[in-house]
Amino acid sequence: MILSGRPPRGRTLQALVIAVTLALALAPFLFPGVKPLNVAAKVCVYALLGASYDLLLGYAGMVSFAHVMFFGVGSYGVGLALYGLGPSWGAVALGLAAGLAVSTLLALAIGLFSLRVQAIFFTMVTLAVSYAFNVLASQLDWLTGGEDGRSFRVPEILQPGFRLIDREAFGVALGGRQVSYYLVLVGCVVVFLALLRIVNSPFGRVLEAIRENPFRAEALGYRIVFHRTLATCLAAAGATFAGALNALWLRYVGPDTALAGSIQIATLVVVVIGGMGTLYGAILGAALFVVAQNYLQTLLGAVSTAAGDAGLPLLPGLFHPDRWLLWLGLLFILAVYFAPAGLVGALSREDDTTP
Amino acid sequence: MTPSLETRDLAIRFGGHVAVDAISCAFRPGELTAIVGPNGAGKTTYFNLMSGQLRATSGVVLLHGVDVTTLGAPQRARLGLGRAFQLTNLFPALSVLENVRLATQAQAGVHYELTRPWPLRRALIERAYAALEAVGLEGKRERRAAALSHGDQRKLEVAMMIALEPSVFMFDEPTAGMSVDEVPVILDLIARLKRDASKTILLVEHKMDVVRSLADRIVVLHHGRLAADGDPATVIASPIVQEAYLGVRRGTAA
Ligand SMILES: Nc1ncnc2c1ncn2[C@@H]1O[C@H](COP(=O)(O)OP(=O)(O)OP(=O)(O)O)[C@@H](O)[C@H]1O
Ligand SMILES: [Mg+2]
């Protein structure tokens, strides 16, 4: 295949990746309604966010805490451009371009500054820089709207009131939300495919070599500081795209949707439960995580009520919907324990050849 | 003819211990130099200083007449220095083919190629096949490097250096730990490389019969110092080797 030298291994895995992709492609028709479409869009965004993080974590073996910052740069780039310039595609393009430029420069600075020293220093610098960025974003009230963030209008075709066609298609009214969803989906697919191509390029293989054995990679003539820095920039660009698409979908940008530490943790969880170093893992991980995040509470609520009705002690409290994070954490620990290589690793364990 | 690799008063100390002590030596194209010496003599450390894995405390390293003392391993590799390591040093999770392909890729200077996927890089893949064939690993291309036997890992280690097509080859005990029937593949390969008069070969080797059959010159290290240097017959016969080297190692004449 032109895109990848390594298609996903194993039938179950291929079937799962195809099933999730198809479900996302047909989401507006399969799961009509406001909440399901929100969930589907979030799966797309997290799949891309996870895939771009995987380029760093799984391929280059680098731990970054600044990934959500680059996501935020994309979100704020598009959000503030639309807020300031009004709802036009020009503003979207400008915001995205500005976001990409800022992200790349930040990534370049972080990489060149920290990677000359040691990989652990890189991790600490990403933490420090993203913290500083968060403070800056909430302090620059006049620009970012501070803690309240900014709500903005999107180009007309993306607005909820917009009608694409008057009739319904397959029983679904096609309006601005559906168009927005497909913009998010297509955007994520295109950037995901670009990432897929990158990890399977000669450069991508060098990243894996550096992860496996930096000492040997240097002995072959690879200057690993530059490779790691380039990987940081590319991953940052991927996260910026994800952030921009997310802002367009939400029509809002603020610290809690663009910069929250919980997004960074969610990204890590997506990549780890999906399987590091595979890229496809991010699709499965995102689907699992976002669906769990959104429906675990409903499920727990049902269990809790049922337990309460049955007069069981303790259980209603344990399964209270507010405890969903506890259960998610538990599921995460179990997943890491029983499938350390993630879903992809667990499903493709068929031979002793390459991953 | 300018030496392809040369050291002048090269030294490194680890704390109080001088592991390589003011070694001046030059290696020329068309010459296979065996470097011998007891365990801990400083052979690997000397190699590391020349190929850039370690930085010298004092002294100079010249590669093709260029002072590379302050350059790192990647730059020296790009200038034509190839290294096979004593302790096998691979990319364990990658396939055998990918290990070698990383070397052909480096050789071709394909460092930051993002968009052209591997299947379109036939030439690099073909060269990787050739390197694997040279060490007899062509049947195990798709195996993970970590899953290979010790002997096969040693062969892969050598194949990666061959694929790099360096002008200076540095073998650090290439046959160590190999079973008897695996050794000839590597020795034949070195003998073949030797026929190319433009190549400089350095070989650290404990087995004296191997040294005798391949070396044009023997350099003896002892306690980090250059203890003897000359043609094989003279060096082997010299008292310092008889005593300091052959005397302490068991089974060296085997
Ligand atoms: N990084 C290091 N730090 C401290 N001491 C070191 C280091 N590397 C090597 N040495 C010491 O330098 C001396 C030379 O070691 P070296 O590995 O070069 O020997 P060698 O001749 O290759 O031995 P062998 O035949 O066992 O491979 C040894 O005493 C070793 O303990
Ligand atoms: Mg040694």
Side-chain angles (χ1 to χ4, degrees):
Chain A
M1 197 160 73
I2 277 301
L3 281 166
S4 154
R6 289 184 191 155
R9 266 167 198 279
R11 276 179 195 268
T12 336
L13 182 62
Q14 283 168 0
L16 259 179
V17 170
I18 292 171
V20 172
T21 315
L22 272 181
L24 289 174
L26 301 175
F29 305 99
L30 291 178
F31 322 104
V34 176
K35 182 168 180 186
L37 204 58
N38 259 323
V39 170
K42 207 167 170 189
V43 171
C44 294
V45 168
Y46 269 99
L48 178 55
L49 194 58
S52 54
Y53 194 58
D54 196 24
L55 176 71
L56 276 187
L57 185 68
Y59 284 85
M62 299 159 69
V63 180
S64 161
F65 287 114
H67 208 61
V68 62
M69 174 182 78
F70 298 120
F71 180 78
V73 169
S75 298
Y76 274 101
V78 164
L80 298 184
L82 283 171
Y83 180 82
L85 303 173
S88 72
W89 288 107
V92 174
L94 191 72
L96 182 62
L100 285 172
V102 170
S103 282
T104 311
L105 284 178
L106 275 171
L108 201 66
I110 292 175
L112 289 180
F113 171 68
S114 67
L115 288 169
R116 301 194 160 276
V117 194
Q118 263 186 12
I120 183 72
F121 191 56
F122 169 80
T123 304
M124 295 187 323
V125 169
T126 59
L127 197 58
V129 171
S130 62
Y131 185 74
F133 191 86
N134 278 15
V135 172
L136 204 68
S138 58
Q139 295 291 310
L140 293 179
D141 220 53
W142 58 272
L143 178 67
T144 62
E147 295 298 327
D148 295 336
R150 294 281 192 219
S151 290
F152 49 86
R153 281 154 52 81
V154 288
E156 195 199 344
I157 184 174
L158 303 179
Q159 287 168 10
F162 176 80
R163 285 277 152 267
L164 192 62
I165 42 175
D166 287 333
R167 294 180 301 104
E168 296 196 336
F170 307 105
V172 179
L174 287 183
R177 285 320 266 164
Q178 282 71 27
V179 177
S180 298
Y181 175 75
Y182 279 109
L183 177 70
V184 171
L185 178 73
V186 170
C188 288
V189 167
V190 169
V191 182
F192 182 89
L193 291 178
L195 286 171
L196 194 60
R197 181 112 175 206
I198 288 170
V199 298
N200 287 297
S201 70
F203 170 76
R205 209 54 91 237
V206 178
L207 286 187
E208 286 186 301
I210 293 171
R211 173 197 72 202
E212 289 290 301
N213 189 344
F215 177 82
R216 179 56 152 172
E218 287 197 313
L220 290 180
Y222 296 110
R223 296 218 260 175
I224 64 178
V225 172
F226 297 138
H227 287 89
R228 282 176 165 160
T229 302
L230 182 53
T232 311
C233 293
L234 292 168
T240 308
F241 274 112
L245 292 169
N246 194 46
L248 278 178
W249 174 253
L250 297 176
R251 288 168 289 144
Y252 164 78
V253 58
D256 50 330
T257 64
L259 291 171
S262 60
I263 302 176
Q264 179 66 61
I265 294 171
T267 309
L268 185 70
V269 172
V270 161
V271 174
V272 172
I273 55 178
M276 291 189 284
T278 59
L279 234 54
Y280 298 103
I283 299 178
L284 302 185
L288 201 68
F289 177 81
V290 176
V291 169
Q293 192 187 33
N294 281 278
Y295 294 103
L296 203 58
Q297 276 175 296
T298 323
L299 184 72
L300 287 175
V303 174
S304 178
T305 326
D309 290 347
L312 296 170
L314 218 63
L315 290 184
L318 207 56
F319 286 103
H320 192 276
D322 286 350
R323 305 267 182 284
W324 76 275
L325 213 61
L326 170 80
W327 288 101
L328 197 64
L330 220 63
L331 286 178
F332 181 58
I333 293 172
L334 288 178
V336 171
Y337 188 77
F338 288 107
L343 280 171
V344 169
L347 294 174
S348 61
R349 197 164 298 289
E350 279 170 4
D351 47 35
D352 73 335
T353 58
T354 42
Chain B
M1 184 158 40
T2 46
S4 34
L5 186 60
E6 184 179 357
T7 67
R8 292 183 191 153
D9 291 323
L10 195 66
I12 187 170
R13 53 188 322 139
F14 298 113
H17 175 67
V18 184
V20 167
D21 194 355
I23 298 186
S24 298
C25 200
F27 307 96
R28 289 185 172 72
E31 194 180 57
L32 190 152
T33 308
I35 297 178
V36 303
N39 293 111
K43 305 178 294 291
T44 298
T45 307
Y46 185 45
F47 264 25
N48 282 338
L49 286 172
M50 290 192 283
S51 55
Q53 273 76 30
L54 288 174
R55 298 301 163 85
T57 313
S58 60
V60 174
V61 181
L62 300 171
L63 183 56
H64 302 298
V66 180
D67 185 345
V68 296
T69 317
T70 58
L71 298 185
Q75 287 98 324
R76 297 190 202 187
R78 289 176 187 201
L79 287 170
L81 203 92
R83 175 85 193 268
F85 291 87
Q86 176 178 8
L87 300 174
T88 306
N89 211 330
L90 307 167
F91 306 116
L94 302 187
S95 73
V96 169
L97 176 62
E98 282 168 332
N99 269 271
V100 180
R101 231 170 39 180
L102 277 157
T104 60
Q105 182 188 336
Q107 196 280 330
V110 183
H111 292 268
Y112 306 104
E113 173 68 70
L114 293 175
T115 49
R116 269 177 70 195
W118 265 112
L120 298 182
R121 298 215 156 256
R122 274 275 32 115
L124 297 186
I125 299 173
E126 298 292 344
R127 295 224 320 270
Y129 285 174
L132 285 174
E133 242 161 73
V135 298
L137 280 182
E138 65 274 16
K140 294 170 180 166
R141 290 201 288 248
E142 297 306 324
R143 297 277 292 279
R144 277 162 66 102
L148 292 181
S149 69
H150 175 78
D152 282 345
Q153 289 187 343
R154 300 297 299 152
K155 290 180 188 168
L156 180 54
E157 179 74 39
V158 170
M160 285 167 77
M161 176 169 60
I162 306 291
L164 207 51
E165 294 180 16
S167 50
V168 180
F169 292 80
M170 302 176 81
F171 292 92
D172 197 349
E173 303 195 31
T175 63
M178 276 191 168
S179 66
V180 192
D181 51 320
E182 289 175 313
V183 173
V185 183
I186 299 298
L187 297 186
D188 291 350
L189 180 71
I190 298 176
R192 245 180 296 143
L193 288 176
K194 209 185 127 171
R195 266 178 244 139
D196 182 342
S198 67
K199 306 289 186 194
T200 308
I201 305 176
L202 278 66
L203 170 68
V204 171
E205 182 58 73
H206 279 305
K207 301 188 187 79
M208 265 306 159
D209 53 337
V210 171
V211 172
R212 248 188 235 108
S213 69
L214 284 173
D216 303 310
R217 171 188 173 197
I218 299 181
V219 166
V220 184
L221 298 193
H222 193 49
H223 294 311
R225 293 218 186 82
L226 199 147
D229 179 359
D231 66 275
T234 329
V235 171
I236 290 173
S238 70
I240 178 126
V241 173
Q242 293 296 326
E243 180 200 339
Y245 184 66
L246 296 178
V248 284
R249 274 194 70 87
R250 14 117 223 126
T252 38

